[in-house]
Amino acid sequence: MAVPQEDRANKDYDAIVVGGGVNGAGIARDLAGRGARVLLCEKDDLASHTSSSSTKLIHGGLRYLEYREFSLVRKALAEREVLLKGAPHIMWPLRFVMPHDPSMRPVWMIRAGLFLYDHLAHREVLPPSRTVDLRKHVAGGPLDARFTKGFVYSDGWVDDARLVALCALDAAERGATVLTRTACVDAERGAERWRVTLQSDDGTTRDATSRVLVNAAGPWAAQFLMEHAHTADRVHLRLVKGSHIVVPKLFDHGHAYIFQNPDNRIIFAIPYEGEFTLIGTTDIEHHGEIGDARASADEVAYLCEQASRYFAKAVRPEQVVWTYSGVRPLLDDESGNPAAVTRDYRLEFDTGRGEVAQAPLLSVWGGKITTFRKLAEEAADRLAPVLARNADEGAATADFSRAWTAGAALPGGDLRASLGADAPGENQVEASFERFVDALALRHPALPAKLVRRLARAYGTRADKLLEGGLGTEVAPQVFEAELKYLRRVEWARTGEDVLWRRSKLGLHLSADQRDAVTQWMTQRLPP
């Protein structure tokens, strides 16, 4: 199904959302689903920066318990299962193993933390934590023999960049206008409307008006207010860089690891893309250009050194096949240690200063991927009274107060519905996915099993739409024109990088020449 790239007829909106990361896309989706006329603009590609550079976990944040962030952990724990049920193709449960190092946190403290983690929020999909003997458990094999006891608990995994793309797609299919590579270069505030100027990457501009403006620019949020919206921010952010490394897989089982470090931080080692292990993350104050964050040699060495404390075979910097870094915009709570800065969010609702009311401005500060849906819901709830007041005739049927995303699947996530009577129970998200893969393979018996599984993971029930006209030419191994055309037509992909490193991680599996072939195919077919 093609999604309109631009609504030229409509220049007036209920809400203009600036920022195509997970929070901006989530807010646009929620508002569009309530009947609002929404425009989402992003100066680069969707999820170009922070939202594609996470550790890719849907988690409560076990270590935040030590900082007494009980409210944040409870909120995030509750969201895990909401998200897992709504997008079982791009999210799935993951079991984490924490080897016990007696020189770190004592056993009683870990058990107490895991008890809280199991019980702070209602849990139906994910199993509880338990203690294991690493001399017998499969996860003990790759570890140094000195680790004999471990703790296993549950969280979830998410393809972060696809999450953003699917939120934007859902917003568009509910009527939103989504403009990528389009910056909001100026926003003038009036008594009832914002007048914004949008500039695409080819230099062309267009004007639009909106009843409210949502600043979801992530690490650029403060800069956007000062330079483009002509207002000062009242919240101080700390920009913290998190870097990750990817190495050839270090173990064959499906568990992930959480390792405690001597500096009181933790790192994860996670099965990644079938053939790799993802290790991260660091927490370092970032003072350079936000879009230029890169993993330093010191960060790579740190991650290798800390992982090597646990694995029987050392992890060396020369093994690293890929690195990525993201700048996280965290609320400054005056913590001395960047790792201790809160991952919670704040919504700042501004209706102008002084006695004269002005068009509302909602700024999003902080946040984490796990709580993006809740953040978007709260943002839409804050805006609902404003949007309902003096609603235009075209919005007469909108229900701005109706929260709806908690029970709604993201595009492609309606696996149980597609399976009908053969669907497993609502809480059996992994079983639903496996049964869907089997059904997709039966419908397309000529496709290799590996390709079927990859398409099912990326597109869920939308995989059949992608395959309607056949695969077409094979541009690179297991990468066919049908998928590239779909990504251009439906998901706003325009470059090889969009396809290889955000809509997928195919870049890890292809040679330089094969990546160039995909890039060349995309370049030759612009504009879409």
Side-chain angles (χ1 to χ4, degrees):
M1 177 179 179
V3 175
Q5 298 294 303
E6 184 172 347
D7 181 2
R8 295 185 181 277
N10 187 9
K11 303 283 188 179
D12 186 49
Y13 299 89
D14 293 310
I16 292 178
V17 182
V18 178
V22 70
N23 289 332
I27 292 171
R29 174 196 182 216
D30 195 306
L31 287 172
R34 300 185 190 214
R37 295 168 303 174
V38 180
L39 184 148
L40 171 67
C41 63
E42 162 56 45
K43 65 185 181 67
D44 297 308
D45 182 32
L46 296 169
S48 281
H49 303 287
T50 305
S51 292
S52 61
S53 301
S54 74
T55 312
K56 311 184 193 308
L57 301 181
I58 296 295
H59 67 143
L62 182 61
R63 69 185 177 91
Y64 304 149
L65 292 174
E66 287 191 317
Y67 302 115
R68 296 180 174 83
E69 293 260 17
F70 300 116
S71 176
L72 171 62
V73 174
R74 181 184 293 110
K75 180 165 50 181
L77 288 174
E79 279 297 289
R80 292 181 310 180
E81 303 213 348
V82 174
L83 297 178
L84 287 168
K85 291 178 182 179
H89 52 325
I90 63 165
M91 306 185 196
W92 56 91
L94 188 59
R95 293 287 270 173
F96 289 79
V97 177
M98 178 190 291
H100 180 239
D101 184 340
S103 67
M104 300 289 162
R105 298 160 180 87
V107 168
W108 68 265
M109 181 181 291
I110 296 174
R111 283 178 173 161
L114 289 174
F115 179 85
L116 283 173
Y117 209 67
D118 284 342
H119 294 91
L120 274 174
H122 182 64
R123 179 172 39 79
E124 294 178 332
V125 173
L126 300 172
S129 61
R130 64 190 183 97
T131 304
V132 295
D133 184 346
L134 292 175
R135 294 168 296 187
K136 300 176 182 178
H137 192 276
V138 64
L143 299 177
D144 189 290
R146 66 190 175 92
F147 297 106
T148 60
K149 177 183 288 187
F151 306 89
V152 180
Y153 69 94
S154 298
D155 264 321
W157 167 266
V158 60
D159 185 330
D160 51 6
R162 287 212 58 73
L163 172 63
V164 178
L166 295 184
C167 283
L169 177 58
D170 203 12
E173 291 183 345
R174 296 175 188 275
T177 298
V178 178
L179 301 179
T180 61
R181 292 177 169 82
T182 301
C184 179
V185 295
D186 190 65
E188 293 289 344
R189 192 178 201 176
E192 297 181 353
R193 289 284 194 279
W194 284 90
R195 180 174 295 277
V196 306
T197 300
L198 305 173
Q199 184 176 58
S200 64
D201 59 357
D202 64 4
T204 59
T205 62
R206 61 176 286 186
D207 294 326
T209 58
S210 175
R211 299 168 66 194
V212 301
L213 182 68
V214 178
N215 170 23
W220 285 274
Q223 182 178 332
F224 172 75
L225 288 184
M226 290 185 289
E227 297 181 4
H228 304 292
H230 315 292
T231 184
D233 66 291
R234 291 179 286 184
V235 175
H236 185 55
L237 291 179
R238 286 178 70 174
L239 301 182
V240 176
K241 182 176 69 166
S243 294
H244 300 75
I245 61 174
V246 176
V247 299
K249 67 178 180 179
L250 303 173
F251 46 89
D252 290 318
H253 59 77
H255 290 66
Y257 294 98
I258 176 172
F259 296 147
Q260 304 173 80
N261 305 340
D263 56 7
N264 289 325
R265 295 204 63 258
I266 57 96
I267 62 169
F268 296 98
I270 305 169
Y272 192 55
E273 287 289 308
E275 301 171 22
F276 303 93
T277 299
L278 172 66
I279 301 174
T281 179
T282 59
D283 277 306
I284 296 175
E285 296 276 3
H286 184 71
H287 302 289
E289 290 294 323
I290 297 171
D292 293 337
R294 300 289 185 273
S296 68
D298 286 346
E299 288 178 288
V300 171
Y302 170 84
L303 293 172
C304 289
E305 179 184 358
Q306 299 309 319
S308 296
R309 294 182 59 252
Y310 288 86
F311 287 119
K313 294 183 179 179
V315 183
R316 302 182 306 278
E318 55 266 30
Q319 292 177 268
V320 175
V321 297
W322 185 48
T323 70
Y324 65 86
S325 300
V327 177
R328 291 165 285 193
L330 305 180
L331 287 165
D332 190 355
D333 56 6
E334 300 184 352
S335 298
N337 179 3
V341 181
T342 182
R343 266 57 175 175
D344 211 346
Y345 58 82
R346 183 183 304 170
L347 300 176
E348 182 187 16
F349 188 61
D350 175 13
T351 55
R353 293 170 174 79
E355 297 181 0
V356 180
Q358 294 179 293
L361 167 67
L362 181 70
S363 290
V364 178
W365 306 104
K368 59 195 297 262
I369 276 193
T370 308
T371 53
F372 93 93
R373 189 207 64 84
K374 192 66 177 175
L375 180 155
E377 185 175 80
E378 290 179 14
D381 287 344
R382 291 288 297 274
L383 296 174
V386 176
L387 298 178
R389 194 180 306 128
N390 301 319
D392 295 340
E393 184 178 345
T397 59
D399 185 358
F400 297 120
S401 64
R402 180 181 64 90
W404 63 276
T405 57
L410 282 167
D414 52 341
L415 302 185
R416 295 185 68 255
S418 74
L419 293 170
D422 292 331
E426 180 184 7
N427 298 326
Q428 296 177 277
V429 294
E430 291 177 286
S432 293
F433 178 76
E434 292 302 329
R435 198 162 297 178
F436 173 76
V437 172
D438 292 342
L440 185 64
L442 286 174
R443 291 195 296 274
H444 303 279
L447 298 187
K450 186 176 180 180
L451 178 60
V452 169
R453 178 169 288 272
R454 183 177 72 77
L455 295 178
R457 271 290 178 218
Y459 306 102
T461 57
R462 301 294 177 98
D464 285 306
K465 292 181 178 293
L466 185 156
L467 294 167
E468 279 178 345
L471 288 172
T473 302
E474 188 173 24
V475 178
Q478 300 282 294
V479 184
F480 294 86
E481 283 191 331
E483 183 174 10
L484 299 180
K485 289 177 179 178
Y486 178 90
L487 291 173
R488 286 178 59 252
R489 185 179 73 253
V490 177
E491 293 193 12
W492 300 277
R494 284 178 52 183
T495 70
E497 184 177 355
D498 296 350
V499 170
L500 297 169
W501 300 106
R502 282 186 287 276
R503 303 305 184 280
S504 76
K505 292 298 180 287
L506 286 166
L508 278 171
H509 302 277
L510 301 177
S511 68
D513 287 344
Q514 292 162 351
R515 294 194 295 268
D516 287 344
V518 174
T519 296
Q520 185 176 14
W521 191 97
M522 295 294 292
T523 302
Q524 290 175 346
R525 285 155 180 82
L526 289 178

